[in-house]
């Protein structure tokens, strides 16, 4: 069989079908030529370094796995120093090493928390140590008893004016810090969130920089109990991370280790709000959530790349006169599940790019004391974090199923990718809780419509609510659904009508909070509709830019239409119930969607090639660039430790007595 030949590109014929410039699409995906060059160079650097090998992860014990991660993190830091990599290059290197590690929390949470909430003096003291990794930090907020409800945290930080110190204490079992990555075994320091108490008064939750372990022998400091919380979901996967538990027994720290950019405690013990607005804390949150949305597009695109390449290699049924069977990717059932995920990966990429811009815009406004766009930006990033991570987690699992039985093998790369990714639905805000925050923001926007206050940012369409409540979809033919204005109006009308309906239902409750609890399921659906509108509108905005390269823009238009019309099909009840479209128009949308799948089909392999992932990064036998799947699957099977011996350990004790009817005599 040709498929078993080494050194042959079994997907070459698929690549030859591409109707667009793949190299230019790589630039679009990367964001710029510079970003593509950096990603390309760093990904190859990682792939060619034996120290970053990762194909045995799922076979290691927890201790071996963790030590292996420490080794890789140390080697990565060594390479960063040796090659004098920039911050951008260092970040790419950690990304392509592709292993959850304490460094993720050090750079992704500890450093941004200090930068966002520390004073100039604190930045000068702590950041040089953190940048050189002379200290390693984590972010200790979540507790055993409280996660989403940050105001319910129980750890206390009580000011002692006699010694000019804070006393950190864990008064209950449920006040134990629980889950922070890097805390369990590695971090020397943490930004700890605790209830600030001074002069007998509780001033709510504040951040404190606390040393946890000795910088000489790494032992926990007096009064500190710290360890790992145990194995987590999956083989390998997130078990490379030392998620930890932390308890304080009257641990004293100097007063100046309270993060004091927003509020301070004076030497006398007086609590003082600084002239820096409290909303600045949201700036850090917008940054972190923006990176999570970007990560969603990366994780989903990996899964889609694996499933698309394998779907083109796998053949099943349809053989006529002894000829080849049909490629699985040619079945409409496969296309209708796979291509919307391909479109989603691109959609999330572009909304992630826009969020990057939004973070920069918000930061500049904050520095100019302009807080007008912050509440909307906060709600928007919360909603997009929820929408993209939920869709990505579901999408990775769908890609596993699209690969049939082989997708269940660890060597497919999909089980581990799923296990590594799914915590994103919970960390940095539980996805349902975040959608409720979006819903609150939407209800506030609707309630202010009559006051003359214009909605801003992604809620600006609400300013046309009267028109959107009345408009009728103009679609008469299937191809009318290809008009961006038609798609946008349908999504805006759906979102506006669902939000207004929720607001009207809420008005029937004497107690608004009771109403909010009672209607929470409806409110979440309204929030999802709003967030999906944002993603669709940002995809359409992307297409209005100058996009070079033969056929590139046309392919992106097809993907944008697939994303929008698939959502319309999936949430058809919303569009019909709110009267945005008629059943006939819904049927035409479905006809158009099928046609779009046929247009994507010859370009599918080239569209996933544009992600520019190395085989090392994909970590999948099924997703190999050359499509040489079956010999590699066979080869991989023999690497399993069970195959180290022909006769298994335990044969003499358990299998032989059974076969020989000697179980009564066996020593079980």
């Amino acid at each position: 069989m040709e498929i078993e030949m080494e050194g042959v590109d079994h997907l070459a014929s698929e690549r030859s079908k591409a109707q667009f410039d793949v190299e230019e699409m790589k630039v679009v995906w990367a964001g710029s030529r510079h970003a593509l060059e950096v990603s390309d160079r760093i990904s190859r650097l990682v792939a060619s370094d034996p120290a970053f090998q990762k194909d045995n992860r799922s076979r290691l014990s927890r201790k071996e796995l963790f030590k292996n991660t420490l080794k890789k993190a140390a080697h990565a830091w060594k390479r960063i120093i040796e090659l004098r990599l920039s911050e951008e290059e260092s970040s790419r290197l950690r990304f392509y090493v592709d292993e959850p590690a304490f460094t993720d929390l050090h750079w992704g949470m500890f450093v941004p928390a200090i930068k966002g909430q520390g004073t100039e003096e604190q930045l000068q003291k702590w950041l040089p140590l953190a940048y050189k990794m002379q200290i390693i930090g984590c972010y200790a907020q979540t507790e055993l008893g409280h996660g989403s409800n940050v105001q319910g945290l129980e750890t206390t930080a009580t000011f002692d004016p006699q010694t000019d110190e804070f006393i950190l204490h864990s008064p209950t079992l449920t006040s134990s810090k629980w889950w922070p990555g890097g805390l369990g075994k590695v971090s020397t320091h943490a930004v700890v969130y605790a209830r600030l108490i001074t002069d007998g008064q509780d001033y709510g939750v504040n951040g404190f920089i606390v040393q946890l372990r000795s910088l000489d022998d790494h032992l926990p400091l007096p009064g500190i109990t710290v360890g790992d919380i145990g194995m987590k979901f999956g083989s390998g996967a997130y078990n490379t991370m030392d998620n930890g538990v932390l308890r304080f027994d009257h641990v004293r720290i100097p007063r100046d280790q309270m993060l004091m950019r927003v509020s301070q405690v004076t030497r006398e013990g007086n609590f003082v709000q600084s002239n820096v607005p409290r909303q600045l804390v949201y700036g850090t949150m917008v940054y972190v959530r923006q990176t999570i949305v970007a990560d969603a597009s990366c994780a989903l695109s990996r899964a889609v790349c694996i499933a698309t390449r394998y779907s083109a290699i796998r053949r099943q049924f349809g053989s006529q006169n002894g000829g080849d069977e049909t490629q699985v990717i040619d079945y409409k059932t496969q296309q209708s599940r796979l291509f919307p995920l391909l479109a989603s990966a691109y959609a999330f990429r572009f909304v992630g790019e826009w969020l990057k811009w939004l973070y920069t815009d918000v930061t500049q406004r904050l520095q100019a004391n302009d807080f007008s766009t912050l509440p909307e930006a906060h709600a928007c990033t919360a909603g997009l974090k929820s929408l993209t991570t939920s869709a990505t987690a579901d999408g990775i699992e769908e890609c596993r199923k699209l690969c049939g039985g082989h997708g269940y093998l660890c060597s497919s790369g999909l089980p581990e990718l799923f296990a590594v990714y799914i915590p994103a639905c919970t960390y940095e805000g539980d996805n349902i809780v975040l959608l409720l925050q979006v819903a609150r923001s939407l209800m506030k926007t609707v309630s202010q419509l009559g006051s003359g206050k214009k909605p801003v940012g992604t809620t600006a369409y609400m300013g046309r609510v009267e028109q959107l409540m009345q408009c009728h979809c103009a679609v008469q033919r299937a191809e009318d659904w290809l008009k961006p204005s038609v798609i946008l109006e349908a999504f805006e009308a759906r979102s506006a009508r669902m939000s207004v309906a929720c607001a009207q239902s809420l008005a029937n409750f004497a107690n608004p909070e009771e109403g909010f609890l009672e209607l929470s399921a409806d409110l979440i659906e309204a929030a999802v509709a709003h967030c999906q509108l944002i993603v669709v509108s940002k995809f359409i905005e992307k297409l209005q830019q100058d996009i070079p390269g033969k056929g590139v823009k046309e392919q992106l238009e097809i993907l944008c239409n697939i994303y929008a019309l698939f959502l319309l099909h999936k949430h058809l009840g919303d569009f019909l119930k709110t009267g945005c479209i008629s059943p006939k128009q819904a049927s035409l949308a479905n006809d158009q969607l099928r046609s779009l799948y046929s247009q994507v089909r010859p370009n599918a392999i080239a569209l996933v090639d544009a992600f520019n992932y190395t085989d090392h990064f994909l970590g999948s036998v099924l997703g190999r660039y050359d499509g040489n799947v079956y010999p590699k699957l066979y080869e991989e099977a023999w690497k399993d430790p069970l195959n180290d011996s022909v006769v298994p350990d335990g044969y003499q004790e358990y299998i032989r007595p059974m076969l020989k009817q000697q179980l009564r005599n066996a020593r079980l």
Side-chain angles (χ1 to χ4, degrees), residues 419-437:
V420 164
Y421 189 75
I422 50 173
C425 297
T426 308
Y427 62 57
E428 281 310 297
D430 174 88
N431 282 358
I432 297 299
V433 173
L434 291 181
L435 287 174
L436 289 170
Q437 287 178 15

Side-chain angles (χ1 to χ4, degrees), residues 408-455:
Y408 193 64
L409 284 167
C410 282
S411 59
S412 77
L414 292 165
E416 190 174 18
L417 179 58
F418 179 66
V420 164
Y421 189 75
I422 50 173
C425 297
T426 308
Y427 62 57
E428 281 310 297
D430 174 88
N431 282 358
I432 297 299
V433 173
L434 291 181
L435 287 174
L436 289 170
Q437 287 178 15
V438 176
R440 274 190 194 279
S441 175
L442 288 172
M443 293 306 99
K444 190 175 180 183
T445 300
V446 172
S447 71
Q448 292 173 341
L449 287 175
S451 69
K453 188 178 178 185
K454 275 194 163 184

Side-chain angles (χ1 to χ4, degrees), residues 105-106 109-111 113-114 126 130 135-142 168 177 180-184 186-194 206-213 215 221 224 226 244-248 253 257-259:
L105 283 300
H106 177 81
M109 296 294 290
F110 180 71
V111 169
I114 294 174
W126 295 102
I135 61 172
I136 298 169
C138 66
Y139 185 88
Q141 178 175 295
T142 299
L168 276 95
K177 294 296 176 187
L183 171 65
V186 178
S187 294
T188 61
H189 290 67
V191 170
V192 175
Y193 288 85
N206 210 92
F208 300 83
I209 299 173
V210 184
Q211 185 172 347
L212 307 175
R213 292 177 168 97
L215 292 174
L221 297 181
I224 286 173
V226 63
V245 52
L246 169 67
R247 288 184 59 75
F248 297 104
I253 61 167
Q257 285 178 218
M258 168 188 170
L259 289 172

Side-chain angles (χ1 to χ4, degrees), residues 2-43:
E2 187 202 17
I3 197 85
E4 293 181 8
M5 290 167 60
E6 285 283 353
V8 173
D9 182 358
H10 300 291
L11 290 168
S13 62
E14 286 290 333
R15 293 189 168 100
S16 68
K17 297 175 187 174
Q19 299 159 334
F20 66 96
D21 186 331
V22 181
E23 292 307 310
E24 286 297 332
M25 187 68 88
K26 286 180 182 178
V27 175
V28 172
W29 177 263
S32 68
R33 291 192 192 283
H34 167 74
L36 176 61
E37 184 278 320
V38 171
S39 286
D40 203 43
R41 176 163 44 84
I42 299 294
S43 66

Side-chain angles (χ1 to χ4, degrees), residues 253-272:
I253 61 167
R255 178 173 57 90
D256 66 6
Q257 285 178 218
M258 168 188 170
L259 289 172
M260 292 201 191
R261 188 176 183 191
V262 174
S263 49
Q264 294 101 32
V265 169
T266 66
R267 174 66 188 85
E268 297 73 35
N270 297 320
F271 180 82
V272 183

Side-chain angles (χ1 to χ4, degrees), residues 1 315-327 331:
M1 283 173 66
R315 292 177 179 272
Q316 212 77 178
F317 304 114
S319 171
Q320 291 181 350
N321 304 321
D324 285 340
E325 293 177 84
T326 304
Q327 288 170 279
Y331 289 109

